[in-house]
Amino acid sequence: MTTIATRQQLSVVMLGSAALLLVWIPMLGVVLPAGADNDRWWQCWDLLELLALGVGGVLALRRSSSAVFFAVAAATLLLIDACVDVGTAWVDGSQLWRAVAMAAVAELPLTVLCVDLARQSAARYPAGRALLAI
């Protein structure tokens, strides 16, 4: 099985990303346009990403089988975040370059890393190996 990085490296990346979100979430109140109705929704979504990345990273460091669930949750949240960001910016047009850059540099690569961690975590257990064979 080819992996992108070791389980420990991936968990450190997840924890580092969660730490960056601790700074990013309050900044959303400043970055989003004044009076934007959706600013709280974005902050809540990023909080969910922070929780999935943080808990998944800790569980992966502890070599817990539960890390797979949080890694899959984080990957799903990040992928949806990237798609919605680009989709809404595409309609507006004013922030398209920023949304595409964020998706290309942060959200999509981190999604791939989370999927790799989930795959590594699942492969360590008989039930996980059976799922990977499907």
Side-chain angles (χ1 to χ4, degrees):
M1 165 181 0
T2 305
T3 61
I4 296 171
T6 67
R7 186 179 171 103
Q8 185 173 9
Q9 290 169 331
L10 292 172
S11 61
V12 168
V13 169
M14 287 178 73
L15 289 171
S17 300
L20 288 173
L21 281 171
L22 281 173
V23 176
W24 176 249
I25 292 169
M27 283 180 45
L28 278 178
V30 176
V31 172
L32 291 174
D37 293 332
N38 61 0
D39 58 346
R40 298 291 180 246
W41 291 105
W42 287 120
Q43 289 173 319
C44 290
W45 191 267
D46 285 344
L47 183 61
L48 290 173
E49 290 174 355
L50 182 147
L51 291 173
L53 289 167
V55 173
V58 169
L59 291 174
L61 279 176
R62 298 181 70 199
R63 303 179 75 77
S64 170
S65 62
S66 299
V68 67
F69 301 111
F70 289 93
V72 168
T76 304
L77 290 165
L78 288 162
L79 182 61
I80 292 169
D81 192 359
C83 291
V84 171
D85 284 350
V86 172
T88 55
W90 191 279
V91 171
D92 182 339
S94 64
Q95 299 294 321
L96 182 60
W97 67 271
R98 187 175 294 173
V100 170
M102 182 68 93
V105 172
E107 293 161 343
L108 296 179
L110 191 53
T111 298
V112 171
L113 294 178
C114 288
V115 168
D116 190 41
L117 177 63
R119 192 173 55 82
Q120 287 183 40
S121 297
R124 296 187 63 223
Y125 302 95
R129 286 192 291 276
L131 285 173
L132 292 172
I134 295 175

